[in-house]
Amino acid sequence: MPSEPAQRRAFRLTAVGADVVLVGYFSAKQKDFETLMASAATELAVHGARVVAQIVQRRGVSDGGVRKMGQPYSSRTLLSYGKVREVAQACDQANADVVIFVASLTERQQRVLTDMLDRPAVSLSDILAAD
């Protein structure tokens, strides 16, 4: 398995013209999530990527979620499994090259999501830091 820096380099080589699904994970307390998603899409465009779909998972919108707002839905995927399926479907429909998460991902989350989505899953901060 390639190391994390090797994965970054591989994506950087294909970033120009890459079709990207942008995924945001936000607490219900974060009211400016649409602005954050728009800013992330702009940053990606500046780096040569094309955002073909945007998907947002919000935590704490329902009564049951409020108590767990600071925790990911899943330590393996960050998102709920239904949302992962939605991301996979969007990727397939748009023939996306990569999935970029606004939130930071652990190495394990990157591996699991890359396997589940059948394309690289990386954090926006990793892409921006690589430049």
Side-chain angles (χ1 to χ4, degrees), residues 35-82:
T35 303
L36 295 171
M37 289 292 287
S39 176
T42 299
E43 283 289 327
L44 288 169
V46 166
H47 286 82
R50 184 170 62 112
V51 177
V52 295
Q54 293 186 31
I55 296 175
V56 172
Q57 171 89 65
R58 295 196 62 215
R59 184 71 187 253
V61 177
S62 67
D63 290 337
V66 171
R67 291 185 308 276
K68 300 177 183 177
M69 220 170 348
Q71 302 170 348
Y73 272 100
S74 164
S75 62
R76 290 183 67 236
T77 64
L78 181 69
L79 308 172
S80 68
Y81 287 105

